[in-house]
Amino acid sequence: MALPPEKASELKQIIHQQLVKMDVHGRIREVLAETIREELAPEHQQLSTEDLIKALRQRGIIDDVMKELKFVTDVNERERTSAPKPSTHFVDREPPVLKKTNIDPTRRYLYLQVLGGKAFLEHLQEPEPLPGQICSTFTLCLHFRNQRFRSKPVPCACEPDFHDGFLLEVHKDSLGEGSKMVDATTMLSICDPVHMVLIKTDTFGETTLVASYFLEWRSVLAAENGITNVAVELLGVGTESKVSVGVLNIRLEMYPQLNKTLSPEVTNTQFALERQKTAEKERLFLVYAKQWWREYLQIRPTHNVRLVKIFAQDENGVNRPVCSYIRPLRAGRLLDTPRQAARFVSVLGYERAPVIGGGGGKQEQWCTLLAFLCRNKGDCEDHANLLCSLLLGFGLEAFVCVGTKAKGVPHAWVMTCGTDGTITFWESLTGHRYIHRPINPDDPPLVEQPKPLYPYRTIGCIFNHQKFFGNCQPTDAVEVCVFDLHDESKWKPMSGEAIKSVCSPGATSSVPPFPPLCASTIDAAVTSNEIELQLRILISEHRKDLGLSTVWDDHLSYLLSPALAAYELERTTSISAGNEEFQDAVRRAVPDGHTFKGFPIHFVYRNARRAFATCLRSPFCEEIICCRGDQVRLAVRVRVFTYPESACAVWIMFACKYRSVL
C-alpha cells in the first residue's frame, strides 16, 4: 500500500524523533565499533549490512525500538465496516488508560508495594489457570486515613502473583496543615494503621473473607534511605484467627525522602508506649464493665439470661466494646436520605458467620466495617452497625438493639428516637420500618391494644457510639417495652466517659478508623442488558427441552420497565407510584381474548443462572416460563439499581400473553 508523499515524510519524521529520543544512533555506533574490534580479522574483510543487523539483534536494540514504536489500527474504521448491531447503551471499548497520580511536593506520601505472596498452603494443589479460563481470585483492599485502594485480582495460588503499588497520602486529614511538610517526628504520632483485607472470589462470584490485617507502617521512619521490606504473615478469620493463611511481601517507601530518619529505639519506644496506654485504658474499662454487670444482676437475678452485649469479637477474634463498632458515617453524595441508606444496607448480602462442625450454634463474628464492605455481605449485626452509623450521620438519634426474634433466635436491629418521642424500628436486612407502640399490661382487658407488626420478641440492650443502656424493666418483651431512656429504673446506663475512653476515634490503637463509602463501579444499563440476554437464552433452552418454541415480544418486555422502577421506589420510600400507567399500557398491549401473566422477583446478586434456578422453584414463575397455548408470546425485563460499594438490587419480571382457549 503506497502512502502519499506528505504522509510518508510525516512518518519518517516521527520515526526519526523516536530514534533520537532513544539515542539509537549512539548505540549503533558502539555496536559497530565493538563488532569491528571483535569479529573482523586484521585482514581486509568487508563488514556486510547483514552482519551489523545480526549484531544489533543479538544485543536487543532492534527489539527495544520495535517495542517503543506502537502501531495502532483504526478501531473506528474496523467497527464501521462490521455489521451494525442495535444497541440501547453505548460502551467505550477503548482499553482503560492508567491515570498518572499527581504528587504534591508539599505533602508526605507512603508508597506501599505488594511484591507477591507465598505459603498460601490451602492453594498448594491449585492447577495453573489456562489462558481465558475463569478461576478463583484474590483481591487485596486497603484503607488508610480516609483513602481506599483495591488491588488487581490475581489467580489463587500457593504463591499469588500480587504486583501492585499504592500511594498513600500520610498528611491528608489534618485541617489547616495541608501545605506544611511533616517531618518524621510528627509522622510518628500518626498512629492510624494501614488496614488490609484479603478477599477471595470464587468462579461463581461468591466472596469470602480470607484475612484482615493492621499494618504498622511507621517502621519505615527508622529505615535507612526511607525504604523497608516487610514480610507480613496473614492470619485467618473467625474460628481460624490463630492459623496462618499466607505471607505477603511488602515494601514501604517515603516520598519525598526524609531529610532525617529516626532511630529504631525511638520508634520502638513509641510503639511500646502506645500499647501500654491502650492496654491500661482497656483494663480500666473491663474493670468498670464488670462492676456495671454486677450492679445490673443485683437489680433482678433473671437479668443474667437477657441479651446484654458489652463486648463482641471481631473477625480476628479480638474482644472489643460493642460501642466501638458504631461511628457517625456520612455518605457524601452517594446516599441522599436515611431511607435510601436503609435500602442500601438491605441489598448488601446476608450471610451468617461460618461454623465448623454441627450443633447449630451461632458463631459470633462482628466484622470491622472495611471487611464487611469489601466482602459485600455479612451477618445481621454487621448490617445493623452500618445502618446505625449511617442514620447517625444523617443526624438521627439511632441505636443498635440486641435481642431475639421468634423462637428465641438472637438478632440485632436499629431503633431511632424522634424528638416527639416516636420510636421507630429499622430492620437492616430488609429496609422495613416499624413504629413501636407499647402495650400497657395494666390496662383493663376491654381496652384495645396495638398489634405489633415487627418480628422482634425480646430486647436486652441498646447502644450507639456514645451510649449503652441495659434493659432493666420487669420483662424484656419488646411489645411492652417503654423507651424512656432517661428513666434509670427502666434502662441502666453506662458511663459516657468510660465508653469515650475506649470507643472514641483515636482513643486506643485497637479501634480501627472507619473507611469512607465508595461509589458503584457497575454500569446499571450494561449489566441489565447482559442479565436479560442470559435469561432469554436460559428460557429458550428450558422451553426447547420441553418441546416448546419461544417467541419473544420485545414491546411487551419494554412495557415491564415502569413496574420494576415502581417496585424499587416503593422499597426505598414506602410510596407506591405509577401503577395506573403500567396497567393501562399492558391492557393496550394485550388484545381482546388474550391472557396476560406477570411475575416480578428481586435479587441482590447478578448471577443469571442462579436467579433462573430460583425462579423455577416458584410455581407462578414456572407457569409463565413453561406456558403452553395459542399465540404464546414471552417477555422478560431486568432492571439493575446500583448502590454504593457496588451493591445492587436486581429486579426481574417474567411475563407472557396467550390466546385463551376454553
Side-chain angles (χ1 to χ4, degrees), residues 355-523:
V355 180
I356 297 175
K362 182 173 168 11
Q363 167 67 31
E364 173 166 286
Q365 182 180 304
W366 290 29
C367 281
T368 55
L369 183 56
L370 185 69
F372 176 39
L373 294 176
C374 294
R375 193 169 56 133
N376 243 232
K377 58 185 177 187
D379 213 331
C380 61
E381 292 89 356
D382 302 326
H383 286 79
N385 290 339
L386 174 56
L387 179 55
C388 182
S389 298
L390 287 167
L391 296 182
L392 287 166
F394 275 113
L396 302 180
E397 188 179 14
F399 294 90
V400 171
C401 306
V402 178
T404 61
K405 290 196 295 186
K407 298 181 182 173
V409 177
H411 190 61
W413 66 96
V414 178
M415 173 189 97
T416 52
C417 307
T419 49
D420 60 352
T422 304
I423 300 297
T424 308
F425 292 148
W426 303 63
E427 178 45 66
S428 59
L429 297 179
T430 62
H432 292 159
R433 298 163 65 256
Y434 310 94
I435 302 294
H436 170 66
R437 293 186 181 86
I439 293 170
N440 187 352
D442 299 329
D443 277 346
L446 292 176
V447 174
E448 194 177 342
Q449 297 286 3
K451 287 189 172 59
L453 300 171
Y454 44 77
Y456 319 120
R457 294 290 175 268
T458 66
I459 183 165
C461 65
I462 64 171
F463 63 89
N464 62 19
H465 62 304
Q466 293 174 330
K467 299 172 182 175
F468 183 99
F469 295 96
N471 183 2
C472 49
Q473 293 169 63
T475 171
D476 59 354
V478 179
E479 57 189 18
V480 298
C481 192
V482 175
F483 288 92
D484 180 1
L485 302 179
H486 301 292
D487 186 345
E488 292 195 13
S489 68
K490 292 185 172 67
W491 294 95
K492 180 172 171 56
M494 259 196 181
S495 155
E497 286 300 313
I499 292 168
K500 191 178 173 184
S501 71
V502 286
C503 296
S504 64
T508 66
S509 54
S510 62
V511 176
F514 264 37
L517 294 183
C518 284
S520 179
T521 57
I522 296 168
D523 187 315

Side-chain angles (χ1 to χ4, degrees), residues 137-141 150-153 162 197-201:
T137 58
F138 282 139
T139 309
L140 194 63
C141 304
R150 182 183 282 264
S151 75
K152 293 187 288 289
F162 284 111
V197 167
L198 185 62
I199 300 291
K200 177 184 173 182
T201 309

Side-chain angles (χ1 to χ4, degrees), residues 97-101:
V97 179
L98 286 177
K99 283 189 273 189
K100 288 184 179 174
T101 306

